[in-house]
Amino acid sequence: MELNLCHLYPDILNLYGDRGNIIAMRRRLEARGVTVNISECSIGEPIDPSAFDIFFIGGGQDFEQEVLLRDLSTGKADAIRAAVEDEKVFLAICGGYQMLGQYYETWDGHRLDFIGAIDIHTVGAKDRMIGNYMFQTPPESGDTTVVGFENHSGKTFLGEGVRPLGKVLAGFGNNGEDGTEGARYKNVFATYSHGSLLPKNPVLCDFLLKTALIRKYGEIEPFIPLDDAIENAAHDYMQQRLTK
Ligand code: GLN
């Protein structure tokens, strides 16, 4: 088996080591004998939505998000929407998550019209939502407790047909108001959780990878378990700190 990964805007959207998610996906797939091809796609480079199984988009500040608007309007937005509708797996973090939505109105009243691949919108607040946080995903998104780190001014609200990725157990999540975190639409997994999300949440990582393999190959053999002692120690330490 083989999976093709597309890392979108790796040079522009890459906060807090978001790239670690790509490394985790690659290692966990290769350990199961799956061949992994990784392509990077940035400004000026068109994407063929049919060529990839998994798309990864990292986080970025308001400035970087604005820089990308022009490039998205040259056909990339259409390609991304087509891949989403075709049930390709997406992992989108923070600024990349917001970018998949309808629009982002910054805290100082600047409106960025995004690509509308998923029905969510974001409105900036003056107070940033920062810190370690934790959420619980439902069975349709891996049924796991996810520990992460968030840093955003945008408050994201989900439209009809978009489910949350999880329920906030500690911290802010989408908006600090409705207890939701992230978004799930078709095979899009979007979250505010930065950096080393997948390395310290191996259950979620395997769930994403299985979703991509099943979409491509139909039923697959169960994954062989890996030695996740270090990953689980990182996860459990943070879970303990966040559990009051
Ligand atoms: N610019 C967005 C916000 O502050 C996203 C920031 C990020 O990706 N960390 O809401």
PDB file of all heavy atoms in Angstrom, residues 13 15-16 18 58-65 93-98 104 106-107 112 114 122-125 128-129 149-156 192 194, ligand 1:
ATOM      1  N   LEU A  13       2.951  28.414   6.398  1.00  0.00           N
ATOM      2  CA  LEU A  13       2.130  27.988   7.543  1.00  0.00           C
ATOM      3  C   LEU A  13       2.888  26.877   8.271  1.00  0.00           C
ATOM      4  O   LEU A  13       2.791  25.709   7.918  1.00  0.00           O
ATOM      5  CB  LEU A  13       0.765  27.490   7.064  1.00  0.00           C
ATOM      6  CG  LEU A  13      -0.112  28.514   6.333  1.00  0.00           C
ATOM      7  CD1 LEU A  13      -1.404  27.871   5.854  1.00  0.00           C
ATOM      8  CD2 LEU A  13      -0.423  29.716   7.217  1.00  0.00           C
ATOM      9  N   LEU A  15       3.856  26.903  12.255  1.00  0.00           N
ATOM     10  CA  LEU A  15       4.111  27.442  13.585  1.00  0.00           C
ATOM     11  C   LEU A  15       4.400  26.301  14.562  1.00  0.00           C
ATOM     12  O   LEU A  15       3.851  25.219  14.419  1.00  0.00           O
ATOM     13  CB  LEU A  15       2.880  28.182  14.097  1.00  0.00           C
ATOM     14  CG  LEU A  15       2.577  29.560  13.513  1.00  0.00           C
ATOM     15  CD1 LEU A  15       1.279  30.074  14.111  1.00  0.00           C
ATOM     16  CD2 LEU A  15       3.705  30.535  13.800  1.00  0.00           C
ATOM     17  N   TYR A  16       5.200  26.583  15.558  1.00  0.00           N
ATOM     18  CA  TYR A  16       5.407  25.635  16.664  1.00  0.00           C
ATOM     19  C   TYR A  16       5.752  24.231  16.189  1.00  0.00           C
ATOM     20  O   TYR A  16       5.323  23.250  16.793  1.00  0.00           O
ATOM     21  CB  TYR A  16       4.140  25.538  17.530  1.00  0.00           C
ATOM     22  CG  TYR A  16       3.650  26.830  18.099  1.00  0.00           C
ATOM     23  CD1 TYR A  16       2.437  27.371  17.689  1.00  0.00           C
ATOM     24  CD2 TYR A  16       4.389  27.512  19.061  1.00  0.00           C
ATOM     25  CE1 TYR A  16       1.970  28.553  18.214  1.00  0.00           C
ATOM     26  CE2 TYR A  16       3.918  28.697  19.596  1.00  0.00           C
ATOM     27  CZ  TYR A  16       2.703  29.209  19.170  1.00  0.00           C
ATOM     28  OH  TYR A  16       2.236  30.367  19.694  1.00  0.00           O
ATOM     29  N   ASP A  18       4.719  22.588  13.465  1.00  0.00           N
ATOM     30  CA  ASP A  18       3.588  21.837  12.904  1.00  0.00           C
ATOM     31  C   ASP A  18       4.066  20.692  12.012  1.00  0.00           C
ATOM     32  O   ASP A  18       3.375  19.690  11.837  1.00  0.00           O
ATOM     33  CB  ASP A  18       2.687  22.754  12.057  1.00  0.00           C
ATOM     34  CG  ASP A  18       1.789  23.651  12.905  1.00  0.00           C
ATOM     35  OD1 ASP A  18       1.507  23.281  14.059  1.00  0.00           O
ATOM     36  OD2 ASP A  18       1.358  24.705  12.408  1.00  0.00           O
ATOM     37  N   GLY A  58      -0.622  23.683   8.070  1.00  0.00           N
ATOM     38  CA  GLY A  58      -0.252  24.119   9.415  1.00  0.00           C
ATOM     39  C   GLY A  58      -0.854  25.473   9.779  1.00  0.00           C
ATOM     40  O   GLY A  58      -1.714  26.017   9.075  1.00  0.00           O
ATOM     41  N   GLY A  59      -0.383  26.020  10.881  1.00  0.00           N
ATOM     42  CA  GLY A  59      -0.915  27.286  11.395  1.00  0.00           C
ATOM     43  C   GLY A  59      -0.120  28.485  10.911  1.00  0.00           C
ATOM     44  O   GLY A  59       1.010  28.349  10.436  1.00  0.00           O
ATOM     45  N   GLY A  60      -0.723  29.664  11.027  1.00  0.00           N
ATOM     46  CA  GLY A  60      -0.032  30.892  10.626  1.00  0.00           C
ATOM     47  C   GLY A  60      -0.698  32.103  11.240  1.00  0.00           C
ATOM     48  O   GLY A  60      -1.846  32.028  11.680  1.00  0.00           O
ATOM     49  N   GLN A  61       0.046  33.172  11.303  1.00  0.00           N
ATOM     50  CA  GLN A  61      -0.506  34.427  11.855  1.00  0.00           C
ATOM     51  C   GLN A  61      -1.441  35.067  10.841  1.00  0.00           C
ATOM     52  O   GLN A  61      -1.438  34.711   9.670  1.00  0.00           O
ATOM     53  CB  GLN A  61       0.634  35.402  12.141  1.00  0.00           C
ATOM     54  CG  GLN A  61       1.809  34.806  12.869  1.00  0.00           C
ATOM     55  CD  GLN A  61       1.515  34.564  14.332  1.00  0.00           C
ATOM     56  OE1 GLN A  61       0.426  34.911  14.812  1.00  0.00           O
ATOM     57  NE2 GLN A  61       2.437  33.959  15.034  1.00  0.00           N
ATOM     58  N   ASP A  62      -2.155  36.108  11.295  1.00  0.00           N
ATOM     59  CA  ASP A  62      -3.073  36.830  10.402  1.00  0.00           C
ATOM     60  C   ASP A  62      -2.334  37.279   9.148  1.00  0.00           C
ATOM     61  O   ASP A  62      -2.854  37.200   8.037  1.00  0.00           O
ATOM     62  CB  ASP A  62      -3.644  38.074  11.090  1.00  0.00           C
ATOM     63  CG  ASP A  62      -4.475  37.714  12.325  1.00  0.00           C
ATOM     64  OD1 ASP A  62      -4.562  36.519  12.657  1.00  0.00           O
ATOM     65  OD2 ASP A  62      -5.013  38.644  12.940  1.00  0.00           O
ATOM     66  N   PHE A  63      -1.101  37.764   9.316  1.00  0.00           N
ATOM     67  CA  PHE A  63      -0.340  38.289   8.176  1.00  0.00           C
ATOM     68  C   PHE A  63      -0.130  37.220   7.103  1.00  0.00           C
ATOM     69  O   PHE A  63      -0.392  37.438   5.919  1.00  0.00           O
ATOM     70  CB  PHE A  63       1.015  38.836   8.656  1.00  0.00           C
ATOM     71  CG  PHE A  63       1.932  39.211   7.530  1.00  0.00           C
ATOM     72  CD1 PHE A  63       1.703  40.370   6.782  1.00  0.00           C
ATOM     73  CD2 PHE A  63       3.000  38.397   7.173  1.00  0.00           C
ATOM     74  CE1 PHE A  63       2.524  40.704   5.715  1.00  0.00           C
ATOM     75  CE2 PHE A  63       3.831  38.724   6.111  1.00  0.00           C
ATOM     76  CZ  PHE A  63       3.593  39.876   5.381  1.00  0.00           C
ATOM     77  N   GLU A  64       0.332  36.047   7.529  1.00  0.00           N
ATOM     78  CA  GLU A  64       0.583  34.969   6.547  1.00  0.00           C
ATOM     79  C   GLU A  64      -0.722  34.535   5.876  1.00  0.00           C
ATOM     80  O   GLU A  64      -0.744  34.236   4.691  1.00  0.00           O
ATOM     81  CB  GLU A  64       1.218  33.747   7.214  1.00  0.00           C
ATOM     82  CG  GLU A  64       2.693  33.896   7.499  1.00  0.00           C
ATOM     83  CD  GLU A  64       2.968  34.278   8.922  1.00  0.00           C
ATOM     84  OE1 GLU A  64       2.150  33.964   9.800  1.00  0.00           O
ATOM     85  OE2 GLU A  64       4.009  34.916   9.174  1.00  0.00           O
ATOM     86  N   GLN A  65      -1.784  34.520   6.646  1.00  0.00           N
ATOM     87  CA  GLN A  65      -3.071  34.096   6.070  1.00  0.00           C
ATOM     88  C   GLN A  65      -3.479  35.052   4.950  1.00  0.00           C
ATOM     89  O   GLN A  65      -3.987  34.638   3.916  1.00  0.00           O
ATOM     90  CB  GLN A  65      -4.151  34.064   7.154  1.00  0.00           C
ATOM     91  CG  GLN A  65      -3.935  32.952   8.161  1.00  0.00           C
ATOM     92  CD  GLN A  65      -4.956  33.025   9.281  1.00  0.00           C
ATOM     93  OE1 GLN A  65      -4.968  33.944  10.084  1.00  0.00           O
ATOM     94  NE2 GLN A  65      -5.831  32.051   9.337  1.00  0.00           N
ATOM     95  N   ILE A  93      -4.481  22.836  10.837  1.00  0.00           N
ATOM     96  CA  ILE A  93      -4.207  23.357  12.180  1.00  0.00           C
ATOM     97  C   ILE A  93      -4.420  24.873  12.217  1.00  0.00           C
ATOM     98  O   ILE A  93      -3.869  25.604  11.384  1.00  0.00           O
ATOM     99  CB  ILE A  93      -2.725  23.093  12.565  1.00  0.00           C
ATOM    100  CG1 ILE A  93      -2.296  21.643  12.286  1.00  0.00           C
ATOM    101  CG2 ILE A  93      -2.472  23.505  14.014  1.00  0.00           C
ATOM    102  CD1 ILE A  93      -2.806  20.608  13.214  1.00  0.00           C
ATOM    103  N   CYS A  94      -5.136  25.347  13.177  1.00  0.00           N
ATOM    104  CA  CYS A  94      -5.268  26.765  13.533  1.00  0.00           C
ATOM    105  C   CYS A  94      -5.467  27.679  12.322  1.00  0.00           C
ATOM    106  O   CYS A  94      -6.550  27.692  11.746  1.00  0.00           O
ATOM    107  CB  CYS A  94      -4.074  27.177  14.388  1.00  0.00           C
ATOM    108  SG  CYS A  94      -4.359  28.686  15.300  1.00  0.00           S
ATOM    109  N   GLY A  95      -4.432  28.421  11.887  1.00  0.00           N
ATOM    110  CA  GLY A  95      -4.601  29.310  10.732  1.00  0.00           C
ATOM    111  C   GLY A  95      -5.029  28.541   9.488  1.00  0.00           C
ATOM    112  O   GLY A  95      -5.819  29.028   8.675  1.00  0.00           O
ATOM    113  N   GLY A  96      -4.513  27.303   9.336  1.00  0.00           N
ATOM    114  CA  GLY A  96      -4.907  26.455   8.197  1.00  0.00           C
ATOM    115  C   GLY A  96      -6.357  26.005   8.328  1.00  0.00           C
ATOM    116  O   GLY A  96      -7.075  25.888   7.326  1.00  0.00           O
ATOM    117  N   TYR A  97      -6.791  25.759   9.545  1.00  0.00           N
ATOM    118  CA  TYR A  97      -8.194  25.405   9.846  1.00  0.00           C
ATOM    119  C   TYR A  97      -9.090  26.590   9.464  1.00  0.00           C
ATOM    120  O   TYR A  97     -10.064  26.436   8.708  1.00  0.00           O
ATOM    121  CB  TYR A  97      -8.260  25.081  11.338  1.00  0.00           C
ATOM    122  CG  TYR A  97      -9.609  24.999  12.013  1.00  0.00           C
ATOM    123  CD1 TYR A  97     -10.775  24.703  11.323  1.00  0.00           C
ATOM    124  CD2 TYR A  97      -9.704  25.170  13.403  1.00  0.00           C
ATOM    125  CE1 TYR A  97     -12.003  24.608  12.000  1.00  0.00           C
ATOM    126  CE2 TYR A  97     -10.911  25.066  14.080  1.00  0.00           C
ATOM    127  CZ  TYR A  97     -12.054  24.794  13.370  1.00  0.00           C
ATOM    128  OH  TYR A  97     -13.252  24.694  14.030  1.00  0.00           O
ATOM    129  N   GLN A  98      -8.732  27.776   9.950  1.00  0.00           N
ATOM    130  CA  GLN A  98      -9.547  28.967   9.646  1.00  0.00           C
ATOM    131  C   GLN A  98      -9.652  29.191   8.139  1.00  0.00           C
ATOM    132  O   GLN A  98     -10.690  29.570   7.613  1.00  0.00           O
ATOM    133  CB  GLN A  98      -8.927  30.202  10.310  1.00  0.00           C
ATOM    134  CG  GLN A  98      -8.930  30.140  11.824  1.00  0.00           C
ATOM    135  CD  GLN A  98      -8.119  31.253  12.465  1.00  0.00           C
ATOM    136  OE1 GLN A  98      -7.390  31.977  11.783  1.00  0.00           O
ATOM    137  NE2 GLN A  98      -8.226  31.392  13.775  1.00  0.00           N
ATOM    138  N   TYR A 104     -12.640  35.062   7.850  1.00  0.00           N
ATOM    139  CA  TYR A 104     -12.039  35.394   9.155  1.00  0.00           C
ATOM    140  C   TYR A 104     -12.096  36.898   9.289  1.00  0.00           C
ATOM    141  O   TYR A 104     -11.521  37.617   8.470  1.00  0.00           O
ATOM    142  CB  TYR A 104     -10.599  34.868   9.203  1.00  0.00           C
ATOM    143  CG  TYR A 104      -9.772  35.283  10.407  1.00  0.00           C
ATOM    144  CD1 TYR A 104     -10.346  35.472  11.661  1.00  0.00           C
ATOM    145  CD2 TYR A 104      -8.403  35.459  10.294  1.00  0.00           C
ATOM    146  CE1 TYR A 104      -9.576  35.825  12.759  1.00  0.00           C
ATOM    147  CE2 TYR A 104      -7.618  35.808  11.381  1.00  0.00           C
ATOM    148  CZ  TYR A 104      -8.216  35.990  12.613  1.00  0.00           C
ATOM    149  OH  TYR A 104      -7.454  36.347  13.704  1.00  0.00           O
ATOM    150  N   THR A 106     -10.830  39.786  11.457  1.00  0.00           N
ATOM    151  CA  THR A 106      -9.820  39.963  12.508  1.00  0.00           C
ATOM    152  C   THR A 106     -10.381  40.865  13.606  1.00  0.00           C
ATOM    153  O   THR A 106     -11.369  41.575  13.409  1.00  0.00           O
ATOM    154  CB  THR A 106      -8.529  40.588  11.938  1.00  0.00           C
ATOM    155  OG1 THR A 106      -8.853  41.882  11.420  1.00  0.00           O
ATOM    156  CG2 THR A 106      -7.937  39.730  10.839  1.00  0.00           C
ATOM    157  N   TRP A 107      -9.730  40.861  14.757  1.00  0.00           N
ATOM    158  CA  TRP A 107     -10.234  41.615  15.916  1.00  0.00           C
ATOM    159  C   TRP A 107     -10.313  43.109  15.605  1.00  0.00           C
ATOM    160  O   TRP A 107     -11.120  43.835  16.180  1.00  0.00           O
ATOM    161  CB  TRP A 107      -9.359  41.346  17.147  1.00  0.00           C
ATOM    162  CG  TRP A 107      -7.969  41.908  17.032  1.00  0.00           C
ATOM    163  CD1 TRP A 107      -6.899  41.279  16.492  1.00  0.00           C
ATOM    164  CD2 TRP A 107      -7.538  43.202  17.441  1.00  0.00           C
ATOM    165  NE1 TRP A 107      -5.807  42.100  16.529  1.00  0.00           N
ATOM    166  CE2 TRP A 107      -6.177  43.295  17.121  1.00  0.00           C
ATOM    167  CE3 TRP A 107      -8.157  44.297  18.057  1.00  0.00           C
ATOM    168  CZ2 TRP A 107      -5.424  44.439  17.372  1.00  0.00           C
ATOM    169  CZ3 TRP A 107      -7.408  45.437  18.321  1.00  0.00           C
ATOM    170  CH2 TRP A 107      -6.062  45.500  17.978  1.00  0.00           C
ATOM    171  N   LEU A 112     -11.123  38.744   5.967  1.00  0.00           N
ATOM    172  CA  LEU A 112     -10.432  37.907   4.978  1.00  0.00           C
ATOM    173  C   LEU A 112     -11.432  36.861   4.499  1.00  0.00           C
ATOM    174  O   LEU A 112     -11.923  36.063   5.292  1.00  0.00           O
ATOM    175  CB  LEU A 112      -9.225  37.186   5.587  1.00  0.00           C
ATOM    176  CG  LEU A 112      -8.201  38.001   6.386  1.00  0.00           C
ATOM    177  CD1 LEU A 112      -7.063  37.104   6.848  1.00  0.00           C
ATOM    178  CD2 LEU A 112      -7.646  39.129   5.547  1.00  0.00           C
ATOM    179  N   PHE A 114     -12.135  33.551   2.968  1.00  0.00           N
ATOM    180  CA  PHE A 114     -11.388  32.321   2.735  1.00  0.00           C
ATOM    181  C   PHE A 114     -12.102  31.425   1.725  1.00  0.00           C
ATOM    182  O   PHE A 114     -12.942  31.898   0.967  1.00  0.00           O
ATOM    183  CB  PHE A 114     -11.117  31.612   4.062  1.00  0.00           C
ATOM    184  CG  PHE A 114     -10.013  32.254   4.868  1.00  0.00           C
ATOM    185  CD1 PHE A 114     -10.076  32.306   6.242  1.00  0.00           C
ATOM    186  CD2 PHE A 114      -8.905  32.791   4.252  1.00  0.00           C
ATOM    187  CE1 PHE A 114      -9.059  32.881   6.983  1.00  0.00           C
ATOM    188  CE2 PHE A 114      -7.874  33.375   4.976  1.00  0.00           C
ATOM    189  CZ  PHE A 114      -7.958  33.418   6.352  1.00  0.00           C
ATOM    190  N   THR A 122     -14.841  32.538  11.351  1.00  0.00           N
ATOM    191  CA  THR A 122     -14.025  32.903  12.504  1.00  0.00           C
ATOM    192  C   THR A 122     -14.076  34.407  12.714  1.00  0.00           C
ATOM    193  O   THR A 122     -13.977  35.182  11.760  1.00  0.00           O
ATOM    194  CB  THR A 122     -12.560  32.448  12.260  1.00  0.00           C
ATOM    195  OG1 THR A 122     -12.561  31.046  11.987  1.00  0.00           O
ATOM    196  CG2 THR A 122     -11.668  32.733  13.447  1.00  0.00           C
ATOM    197  N   VAL A 123     -14.227  34.800  13.967  1.00  0.00           N
ATOM    198  CA  VAL A 123     -14.267  36.226  14.311  1.00  0.00           C
ATOM    199  C   VAL A 123     -13.217  36.470  15.390  1.00  0.00           C
ATOM    200  O   VAL A 123     -13.209  35.783  16.418  1.00  0.00           O
ATOM    201  CB  VAL A 123     -15.675  36.607  14.841  1.00  0.00           C
ATOM    202  CG1 VAL A 123     -15.732  38.093  15.179  1.00  0.00           C
ATOM    203  CG2 VAL A 123     -16.748  36.250  13.819  1.00  0.00           C
ATOM    204  N   GLY A 124     -12.342  37.430  15.153  1.00  0.00           N
ATOM    205  CA  GLY A 124     -11.249  37.699  16.081  1.00  0.00           C
ATOM    206  C   GLY A 124     -11.736  38.350  17.373  1.00  0.00           C
ATOM    207  O   GLY A 124     -12.666  39.150  17.368  1.00  0.00           O
ATOM    208  N   ALA A 125     -11.083  37.981  18.472  1.00  0.00           N
ATOM    209  CA  ALA A 125     -11.378  38.609  19.764  1.00  0.00           C
ATOM    210  C   ALA A 125     -10.104  39.304  20.231  1.00  0.00           C
ATOM    211  O   ALA A 125      -9.008  38.911  19.839  1.00  0.00           O
ATOM    212  CB  ALA A 125     -11.791  37.551  20.770  1.00  0.00           C
ATOM    213  N   ARG A 128      -6.457  36.893  23.392  1.00  0.00           N
ATOM    214  CA  ARG A 128      -6.069  35.650  22.735  1.00  0.00           C
ATOM    215  C   ARG A 128      -6.374  34.455  23.633  1.00  0.00           C
ATOM    216  O   ARG A 128      -6.348  34.566  24.861  1.00  0.00           O
ATOM    217  CB  ARG A 128      -4.579  35.668  22.386  1.00  0.00           C
ATOM    218  CG  ARG A 128      -4.192  36.739  21.405  1.00  0.00           C
ATOM    219  CD  ARG A 128      -2.762  36.564  20.933  1.00  0.00           C
ATOM    220  NE  ARG A 128      -2.614  35.420  20.058  1.00  0.00           N
ATOM    221  CZ  ARG A 128      -2.902  35.432  18.758  1.00  0.00           C
ATOM    222  NH1 ARG A 128      -3.348  36.524  18.191  1.00  0.00           N
ATOM    223  NH2 ARG A 128      -2.729  34.354  18.028  1.00  0.00           N
ATOM    224  N   MET A 129      -6.626  33.340  23.003  1.00  0.00           N
ATOM    225  CA  MET A 129      -6.859  32.095  23.744  1.00  0.00           C
ATOM    226  C   MET A 129      -5.573  31.285  23.650  1.00  0.00           C
ATOM    227  O   MET A 129      -5.237  30.774  22.578  1.00  0.00           O
ATOM    228  CB  MET A 129      -8.047  31.350  23.110  1.00  0.00           C
ATOM    229  CG  MET A 129      -9.361  32.068  23.364  1.00  0.00           C
ATOM    230  SD  MET A 129     -10.673  31.655  22.210  1.00  0.00           S
ATOM    231  CE  MET A 129     -10.410  32.934  20.998  1.00  0.00           C
ATOM    232  N   PHE A 149      -1.800  22.296  22.363  1.00  0.00           N
ATOM    233  CA  PHE A 149      -1.480  23.678  22.724  1.00  0.00           C
ATOM    234  C   PHE A 149      -2.188  24.598  21.739  1.00  0.00           C
ATOM    235  O   PHE A 149      -2.104  24.397  20.524  1.00  0.00           O
ATOM    236  CB  PHE A 149       0.034  23.903  22.657  1.00  0.00           C
ATOM    237  CG  PHE A 149       0.417  25.339  22.851  1.00  0.00           C
ATOM    238  CD1 PHE A 149       0.379  25.915  24.113  1.00  0.00           C
ATOM    239  CD2 PHE A 149       0.775  26.134  21.770  1.00  0.00           C
ATOM    240  CE1 PHE A 149       0.699  27.257  24.290  1.00  0.00           C
ATOM    241  CE2 PHE A 149       1.091  27.471  21.935  1.00  0.00           C
ATOM    242  CZ  PHE A 149       1.058  28.034  23.202  1.00  0.00           C
ATOM    243  N   GLU A 150      -2.894  25.596  22.256  1.00  0.00           N
ATOM    244  CA  GLU A 150      -3.624  26.525  21.379  1.00  0.00           C
ATOM    245  C   GLU A 150      -3.125  27.944  21.582  1.00  0.00           C
ATOM    246  O   GLU A 150      -2.685  28.311  22.676  1.00  0.00           O
ATOM    247  CB  GLU A 150      -5.135  26.445  21.649  1.00  0.00           C
ATOM    248  CG  GLU A 150      -5.538  26.792  23.071  1.00  0.00           C
ATOM    249  CD  GLU A 150      -7.036  26.662  23.351  1.00  0.00           C
ATOM    250  OE1 GLU A 150      -7.853  26.856  22.433  1.00  0.00           O
ATOM    251  OE2 GLU A 150      -7.383  26.388  24.515  1.00  0.00           O
ATOM    252  N   ASN A 151      -3.162  28.734  20.522  1.00  0.00           N
ATOM    253  CA  ASN A 151      -2.806  30.156  20.587  1.00  0.00           C
ATOM    254  C   ASN A 151      -3.493  30.861  19.428  1.00  0.00           C
ATOM    255  O   ASN A 151      -3.000  30.880  18.318  1.00  0.00           O
ATOM    256  CB  ASN A 151      -1.286  30.338  20.494  1.00  0.00           C
ATOM    257  CG  ASN A 151      -0.895  31.803  20.584  1.00  0.00           C
ATOM    258  OD1 ASN A 151      -1.754  32.687  20.684  1.00  0.00           O
ATOM    259  ND2 ASN A 151       0.402  32.064  20.528  1.00  0.00           N
ATOM    260  N   HIS A 152      -4.667  31.426  19.704  1.00  0.00           N
ATOM    261  CA  HIS A 152      -5.415  32.080  18.620  1.00  0.00           C
ATOM    262  C   HIS A 152      -6.242  33.225  19.161  1.00  0.00           C
ATOM    263  O   HIS A 152      -6.653  33.215  20.319  1.00  0.00           O
ATOM    264  CB  HIS A 152      -6.318  31.064  17.900  1.00  0.00           C
ATOM    265  CG  HIS A 152      -7.206  30.234  18.794  1.00  0.00           C
ATOM    266  ND1 HIS A 152      -8.571  30.345  18.785  1.00  0.00           N
ATOM    267  CD2 HIS A 152      -6.923  29.274  19.720  1.00  0.00           C
ATOM    268  CE1 HIS A 152      -9.093  29.485  19.659  1.00  0.00           C
ATOM    269  NE2 HIS A 152      -8.112  28.828  20.238  1.00  0.00           N
ATOM    270  N   SER A 153      -6.471  34.192  18.270  1.00  0.00           N
ATOM    271  CA  SER A 153      -7.381  35.285  18.613  1.00  0.00           C
ATOM    272  C   SER A 153      -8.742  34.984  18.010  1.00  0.00           C
ATOM    273  O   SER A 153      -9.776  35.426  18.502  1.00  0.00           O
ATOM    274  CB  SER A 153      -6.801  36.604  18.090  1.00  0.00           C
ATOM    275  OG  SER A 153      -7.701  37.260  17.257  1.00  0.00           O
ATOM    276  N   GLY A 154      -8.746  34.200  16.923  1.00  0.00           N
ATOM    277  CA  GLY A 154      -9.989  33.891  16.228  1.00  0.00           C
ATOM    278  C   GLY A 154     -10.887  32.972  17.041  1.00  0.00           C
ATOM    279  O   GLY A 154     -10.420  31.992  17.619  1.00  0.00           O
ATOM    280  N   LYS A 155     -12.175  33.323  17.061  1.00  0.00           N
ATOM    281  CA  LYS A 155     -13.188  32.431  17.641  1.00  0.00           C
ATOM    282  C   LYS A 155     -13.927  31.812  16.475  1.00  0.00           C
ATOM    283  O   LYS A 155     -14.517  32.540  15.660  1.00  0.00           O
ATOM    284  CB  LYS A 155     -14.176  33.213  18.493  1.00  0.00           C
ATOM    285  CG  LYS A 155     -13.582  33.794  19.758  1.00  0.00           C
ATOM    286  CD  LYS A 155     -14.673  34.440  20.589  1.00  0.00           C
ATOM    287  CE  LYS A 155     -14.138  34.720  21.991  1.00  0.00           C
ATOM    288  NZ  LYS A 155     -15.204  34.997  22.950  1.00  0.00           N
ATOM    289  N   THR A 156     -13.900  30.492  16.402  1.00  0.00           N
ATOM    290  CA  THR A 156     -14.502  29.808  15.255  1.00  0.00           C
ATOM    291  C   THR A 156     -15.867  29.233  15.626  1.00  0.00           C
ATOM    292  O   THR A 156     -16.036  28.668  16.710  1.00  0.00           O
ATOM    293  CB  THR A 156     -13.553  28.698  14.768  1.00  0.00           C
ATOM    294  OG1 THR A 156     -12.351  29.320  14.292  1.00  0.00           O
ATOM    295  CG2 THR A 156     -14.163  27.886  13.635  1.00  0.00           C
ATOM    296  N   TYR A 192      -7.459  23.453  16.572  1.00  0.00           N
ATOM    297  CA  TYR A 192      -6.576  24.538  17.007  1.00  0.00           C
ATOM    298  C   TYR A 192      -5.275  24.016  17.606  1.00  0.00           C
ATOM    299  O   TYR A 192      -4.415  24.800  17.978  1.00  0.00           O
ATOM    300  CB  TYR A 192      -7.313  25.445  18.004  1.00  0.00           C
ATOM    301  CG  TYR A 192      -8.065  26.549  17.296  1.00  0.00           C
ATOM    302  CD1 TYR A 192      -9.446  26.577  17.238  1.00  0.00           C
ATOM    303  CD2 TYR A 192      -7.366  27.555  16.631  1.00  0.00           C
ATOM    304  CE1 TYR A 192     -10.117  27.568  16.538  1.00  0.00           C
ATOM    305  CE2 TYR A 192      -8.021  28.545  15.931  1.00  0.00           C
ATOM    306  CZ  TYR A 192      -9.389  28.557  15.893  1.00  0.00           C
ATOM    307  OH  TYR A 192     -10.035  29.538  15.192  1.00  0.00           O
ATOM    308  N   HIS A 194      -1.741  22.938  18.022  1.00  0.00           N
ATOM    309  CA  HIS A 194      -0.506  23.180  17.264  1.00  0.00           C
ATOM    310  C   HIS A 194       0.569  22.134  17.460  1.00  0.00           C
ATOM    311  O   HIS A 194       0.515  21.329  18.366  1.00  0.00           O
ATOM    312  CB  HIS A 194       0.121  24.498  17.741  1.00  0.00           C
ATOM    313  CG  HIS A 194      -0.376  25.661  16.999  1.00  0.00           C
ATOM    314  ND1 HIS A 194      -0.092  25.878  15.680  1.00  0.00           N
ATOM    315  CD2 HIS A 194      -1.157  26.682  17.399  1.00  0.00           C
ATOM    316  CE1 HIS A 194      -0.660  27.002  15.308  1.00  0.00           C
ATOM    317  NE2 HIS A 194      -1.317  27.507  16.318  1.00  0.00           N
TER     318      HIS A 194
HETATM  319  N1  GLN B   1      -4.207  34.187  13.012  1.00  0.00           N
HETATM  320  C1  GLN B   1      -5.058  33.289  13.617  1.00  0.00           C
HETATM  321  C2  GLN B   1      -5.548  33.684  15.006  1.00  0.00           C
HETATM  322  O1  GLN B   1      -4.847  34.326  15.770  1.00  0.00           O
HETATM  323  C3  GLN B   1      -4.370  31.942  13.671  1.00  0.00           C
HETATM  324  C4  GLN B   1      -3.184  31.907  14.571  1.00  0.00           C
HETATM  325  C5  GLN B   1      -2.468  30.622  14.572  1.00  0.00           C
HETATM  326  O2  GLN B   1      -2.423  29.856  13.569  1.00  0.00           O
HETATM  327  N2  GLN B   1      -1.800  30.381  15.680  1.00  0.00           N
HETATM  328  O3  GLN B   1      -6.658  33.382  15.325  1.00  0.00           O
END
